[in-house]
Amino acid sequence: MQKTVYSFDVFETSLIRVWAKPTDLFWELGKQLRQQKLIEISADTWQQMRIKAESAARVASKTGEVTVEQIYQQLAGFLGWSTTQAQQAMHKEIALELASLRPVPAIQKRIQALQQANERVIYISDMYLSEETIRTFLKENNVWTPGSCLYVSSEVGVSKANGKLFQHCLAKESVKASQLNHIGDNLHSDVKMAKKQGVRVEPISQTHLNRYEQIIANDSQLPLPFRSQLAGMSRLTRLHSKETSPNKQIIWDTTANVIAPMLFGYVYWCLVSAKKRGIKRLYFVARDGQILHKIAQEICRNWGYEIDCRYLYGSRQAWHAPSLMKVGEDEYTWIFNDTTFLSVHSVCERVNITPEQIEDVLARFGFAKFRWNHNLSRQERNQLKLAFREPEVVELIVATATSYREQAIGYFRQEQIGDGLPFAVVDIGWTGRSLGSFSKVLKSAGLYPESGMHGFYFALEKRVKAFASDQLLTYFYDGDKPVGDRDRICQYRCLFELFVAADHGGTARYEQQGDQYTPVLRYQKNQAAINWGLYVLQNAAVEFAKQLTTNLSEQDCPVELFIRATNVLIEEFVQNPFFQEAKVFGSFLMAEDQGENKLYELAPAYSLIDCFRLILRGKQPHQNVWFPASFARSHPIFRIFMNERTMNMTHHLRVIGGKLRRGILLKQLSEPA
């Protein structure tokens, strides 16, 4: 049987750097050499000089292949270094290379499997470092196979780039070209030139920067070390995927590139802000807080934050209803929050009563029992508001709230709220109304902090405060102080709520069981989200937090830089999703109503009827459609009519038509009968 030799490229195939680009490491080297007084030039200037020195060394070489020693001879000439100084700088570069390298998980697993199968494995590299140095790199990262050979262009004097290194390997291994199976990432050296020699090739590209990683790596508004290492951490996280399903792989990759950096930056800001304000405990409020809490635990563990991070079960339903001491206009605002689907039953559920308890009132206002679960028209919604203003309904709501409030207070005390430790709550957004209700309940029980409540939010469209002393702090978007186009991004709030979805149902209320208070969930498992790939998203987000906090220090990651990175990444994803991203994330089922009475696809593909409704009436399938994704998912013919220009034109025509109709109506009303 003809034997097969498996050859692996080293850099960007078997090993990957924490830096986005190989030459970015030279910047860090320049910073350290400057600190050691070996150079006086800036890190930026050193980086360019290091690149120039390698080019000069190749020009001076007869073969075009160079060693790291020859590169540093060039640098010694540029800088007037002694031999000792050049050696010091060269060894510093080699040490930095080793510190920056990580194994590529899939390739590492492949090599280990070949080793167990007693297959012949070799390594081939076009590199200026020595064979001994590269072998050390491979061994340190557990991708070296005992008994293997490593062929390096700097020592052999020929390269993969000209095809001659493959010829050299075939001769040394005593095999034909058809017996060599090469795995590598470089399209020219590892693929084209290998094939030209008759070598079988397995090209890989997953180690290359993808579009999001390139966007960050090339963003000149971010400092080079931060943007390079952030892109590097996203790539490293992406490469740690074990998913086999294409859809789940999309979720993992998008999380590694977009969602995880966004959530990490937000949680990191929460911890930094809490530390500055002397806050010792953070309550991450369900359900948004589930993944945020997990990320916080990674940051605290690896970066040493001594803040007590806890998961607190809560929701609009669990906090609004118990906060009711009266029913005024503010309360009616959330009771009748105008969602796409609104029924008698869902409105009653918001205040923890049943339609049966007010059946007589409902009948007086024309709401027969068979219509309680029907979606209400605009006129019917207004009629139901009148029914809920009846004294007996108001009294029932307030009385019910009292009993629910007692249970909520018991749960809050159990979770050590009010034990004297300064605390804050963490939530995703969007108005702070839930925090207001939370504050009211705490105030009623004497648990409200003297300095007021602190709430940390990713974004707030507006502030609804129960008390003037409440402080609602924002990370990314503040409707009171808008920045750039972030309002356009944050209008798709349900997409952000997908990012922080939890694996359990919403908290409906609290109840006492013996001497314990427990949250009562709508359902134990959020099976629809789990089936979609929720755990993939959460695992990728935690993996990113782990990779970043173990590979980088807090000093490498100024918190304000994550805001810029979030803006760039999330804008690209929200406004310009690729088809597969739109399809996978757009298929997520979400609910507008706190009672989750009706589920909608976040970004449904538009049918012909949907297109006509949108163009002629401006009507979306539901209020929270992620339109750019729906656009991407829809048939190409429909997209012709759904472009921005057509949408703007039809909107203006509808506005003009509305004004004309109102003008005609006013004229008719003003004319004498």
Side-chain angles (χ1 to χ4, degrees):
M1 183 176 176
Q2 192 179 55
K3 74 171 183 176
T4 298
V5 175
Y6 294 87
S7 65
F8 288 85
D9 173 44
V10 177
F11 299 96
E12 313 303 317
T13 298
S14 303
L15 299 174
I16 201 79
R17 295 175 179 86
V18 297
W19 301 88
K21 303 172 186 177
T23 54
D24 291 344
L25 179 142
F26 300 155
W27 188 97
E28 177 64 21
L29 175 60
K31 186 186 82 169
Q32 295 190 20
L33 293 178
R34 186 178 170 86
Q35 290 171 347
Q36 294 179 354
K37 309 297 184 184
L38 277 171
I39 60 173
E40 295 180 355
I41 57 177
S42 68
D44 293 299
T45 303
W46 163 265
Q47 182 188 35
Q48 297 307 312
M49 185 179 288
R50 170 61 181 77
I51 294 169
K52 180 182 176 183
E54 183 174 339
S55 298
R58 291 191 185 280
V59 170
S61 170
K62 293 180 180 179
T63 64
E65 296 304 313
V66 297
T67 64
V68 69
E69 288 83 3
Q70 290 169 329
I71 294 170
Y72 273 83
Q73 286 172 11
Q74 293 287 333
L75 287 165
F78 295 160
L79 295 164
W81 273 344
S82 66
T83 303
T84 301
Q85 289 174 315
Q87 287 286 319
Q88 287 178 335
M90 182 183 74
H91 289 308
K92 172 61 71 174
E93 177 177 329
I94 293 171
L96 266 179
E97 276 280 16
L98 176 58
S100 76
L101 292 169
R102 302 291 181 273
V104 175
I107 299 299
Q108 183 183 47
K109 184 178 179 180
R110 175 82 181 278
I111 290 172
Q112 290 171 349
L114 289 170
Q115 180 185 357
Q116 291 174 0
N118 293 316
E119 298 286 357
R120 174 67 172 163
V121 173
I122 64 173
Y123 305 85
I124 309 178
S125 181
D126 282 353
M127 188 57 167
Y128 45 77
L129 295 171
S130 69
E131 184 269 344
E132 181 182 1
T133 297
I134 297 173
R135 186 167 6 100
T136 299
F137 291 171
L138 292 165
K139 286 181 177 180
E140 288 289 329
N141 286 282
N142 295 314
V143 286
W144 176 259
T145 302
S148 294
C149 284
L150 169 61
Y151 301 96
V152 183
S153 62
S154 63
E155 297 202 353
V156 178
V158 293
S159 68
K160 291 182 294 178
N162 60 25
K164 293 182 180 179
L165 188 54
F166 288 110
Q167 295 174 8
H168 177 82
C169 291
L170 293 173
K172 287 290 184 179
E173 295 293 322
S174 301
V175 293
K176 298 175 182 177
S178 60
Q179 294 174 265
L180 184 63
N181 194 84
H182 183 65
I183 299 96
D185 75 294
N186 189 284
L187 183 60
H188 175 74
S189 300
D190 292 311
V191 181
K192 289 182 179 179
M193 295 311 296
K195 287 183 176 180
K196 192 173 181 179
Q197 308 306 314
V199 172
R200 290 183 294 166
V201 175
E202 290 183 42
I204 68 163
S205 60
Q206 61 265 38
T207 55
H208 296 173
L209 299 177
N210 65 19
R211 98 179 193 270
Y212 295 113
E213 293 153 7
Q214 287 179 21
I215 287 171
I216 288 297
N218 295 326
D219 187 350
S220 60
Q221 292 190 41
L222 292 170
L224 185 145
F226 177 80
R227 70 178 187 251
S228 179
Q229 293 182 99
L230 180 61
M233 290 303 101
S234 285
R235 174 173 60 183
L236 196 56
T237 302
R238 179 167 54 79
L239 293 172
H240 273 78
S241 171
K242 297 177 182 177
E243 301 303 323
T244 55
S245 157
N247 284 0
K248 300 291 174 63
Q249 188 64 54
I250 289 287
I251 296 171
W252 181 281
D253 290 353
T254 306
T255 302
N257 289 143
V258 180
I259 302 169
M262 181 195 87
L263 297 182
F264 181 94
Y266 170 47
V267 174
Y268 179 29
W269 170 81
C270 290
L271 292 167
V272 170
S273 300
K275 186 177 179 180
K276 285 181 180 177
R277 289 169 171 77
I279 292 168
K280 302 297 183 183
R281 181 181 294 146
L282 289 177
Y283 289 101
F284 293 82
V285 182
R287 291 180 287 177
D288 300 350
Q290 186 178 62
I291 184 57
L292 303 178
H293 179 237
K294 292 179 180 180
I295 292 170
Q297 289 177 308
E298 284 292 331
I299 298 174
C300 290
R301 182 184 304 116
N302 296 322
W303 280 357
Y305 276 84
E306 295 181 354
I307 293 176
D308 182 14
C309 295
R310 301 191 179 189
Y311 189 51
L312 185 72
Y313 284 92
S315 68
R316 287 173 289 175
Q317 174 87 31
W319 289 1
H320 284 337
S323 73
L324 289 168
M325 284 80 166
K326 62 181 181 63
V327 185
E329 292 307 315
D330 285 344
E331 288 73 26
Y332 282 120
T333 298
W334 64 259
I335 293 173
F336 285 92
N337 182 31
D338 199 21
T339 50
T340 302
F341 180 87
L342 191 72
S343 67
V344 170
H345 186 274
S346 65
V347 173
C348 289
E349 189 178 31
R350 291 177 183 181
V351 289
N352 291 320
I353 64 174
T354 65
E356 286 80 6
Q357 290 176 285
I358 57 171
E359 187 171 358
D360 291 344
V361 176
L362 291 172
R364 287 204 308 270
F365 282 82
F367 294 100
K369 192 169 186 177
F370 73 89
R371 295 172 55 206
W372 288 352
N373 287 311
H374 291 185
N375 193 16
L376 300 173
S377 67
R378 176 62 51 203
Q379 183 178 352
E380 288 171 329
R381 295 181 188 207
N382 292 331
Q383 186 74 356
L384 187 61
K385 286 180 185 178
L386 296 176
F388 266 64
R389 291 179 185 273
E390 290 292 287
E392 59 261 53
V393 177
V394 173
E395 289 174 10
L396 176 63
I397 291 172
V398 173
T400 303
T402 301
S403 83
Y404 278 86
R405 186 161 55 250
E406 292 172 1
Q407 302 293 316
I409 292 168
Y411 174 72
F412 296 154
R413 289 187 187 278
Q414 176 183 287
E415 297 305 307
Q416 297 183 289
I417 292 172
D419 67 354
L421 200 67
F423 71 91
V425 300
V426 179
D427 202 353
I428 197 73
W430 298 89
T431 65
R433 191 183 297 277
S434 293
L435 182 69
S437 295
F438 183 58
S439 292
K440 289 178 183 178
V441 175
L442 294 187
K443 192 87 165 180
S444 72
L447 302 177
Y448 184 79
E450 289 184 10
S451 59
M453 275 296 306
H454 282 78
F456 294 137
Y457 295 92
F458 179 81
L460 285 176
E461 295 172 352
K462 60 181 179 179
R463 282 174 170 77
V464 178
K465 298 166 72 171
F467 305 108
S469 54
D470 285 350
Q471 297 186 52
L472 282 64
L473 308 170
T474 59
Y475 169 69
F476 183 71
Y477 174 70
D478 188 336
D480 293 340
K481 301 175 183 176
V483 176
D485 292 334
R486 293 180 189 174
D487 57 331
R488 285 198 313 126
I489 299 171
C490 290
Q491 69 177 306
Y492 302 113
R493 59 162 68 176
C494 283
L495 177 60
F496 289 88
E497 289 170 6
L498 182 166
F499 298 161
V500 291
D503 64 359
H504 61 79
T507 307
R509 63 185 187 279
Y510 310 99
E511 67 178 27
Q512 186 174 9
Q513 297 178 345
D515 59 354
Q516 291 289 309
Y517 290 88
T518 59
V520 177
L521 305 180
R522 293 187 181 282
Y523 41 86
Q524 291 300 311
K525 284 288 183 183
N526 187 0
Q527 202 59 53
I530 293 169
N531 292 343
W532 172 83
L534 175 64
Y535 288 141
V536 177
L537 187 154
Q538 291 195 346
N539 291 340
V542 172
E543 180 66 29
F544 176 87
K546 176 183 174 183
Q547 291 294 342
L548 194 144
T549 54
T550 55
N551 285 297
L552 306 180
S553 70
E554 188 176 358
Q555 290 69 38
D556 295 324
C557 304
V559 68
E560 63 274 8
L561 297 181
F562 280 97
I563 299 176
R564 164 67 189 176
T566 294
N567 197 96
V568 172
L569 291 169
I570 204 67
E571 183 171 18
E572 176 66 17
F573 176 68
V574 169
Q575 302 294 352
N576 304 298
F578 282 3
F579 172 75
Q580 286 299 329
E581 294 168 340
K583 180 182 176 183
V584 172
F585 282 85
S587 67
F588 187 85
L589 295 175
M590 43 72 62
E592 294 177 303
D593 179 48
Q594 65 187 46
E596 301 178 56
N597 292 286
K598 190 171 179 61
L599 298 177
Y600 304 90
E601 277 199 345
L602 179 60
Y606 281 73
S607 65
L608 183 60
I609 293 174
D610 291 329
C611 288
F612 282 129
R613 283 177 177 167
L614 183 61
I615 293 169
L616 299 177
R617 298 169 57 193
K619 187 175 178 62
Q620 299 274 18
H622 59 83
Q623 293 179 17
N624 289 284
V625 168
W626 173 22
F627 181 70
S630 283
F631 183 84
R633 291 185 71 185
S634 299
H635 193 282
I637 293 176
F638 299 163
R639 294 205 295 268
I640 295 172
F641 301 102
M642 291 165 58
N643 63 68
E644 188 173 357
R645 184 176 177 182
T646 303
M647 298 300 297
N648 288 336
M649 181 181 69
T650 55
H651 172 72
H652 290 313
L653 289 174
R654 288 196 302 274
V655 170
I656 293 169
K659 289 180 178 178
L660 288 172
R661 285 193 298 273
R662 286 193 295 273
I664 293 169
L665 180 61
L666 288 171
K667 185 176 180 180
Q668 290 173 343
L669 291 173
S670 63
E671 290 177 351

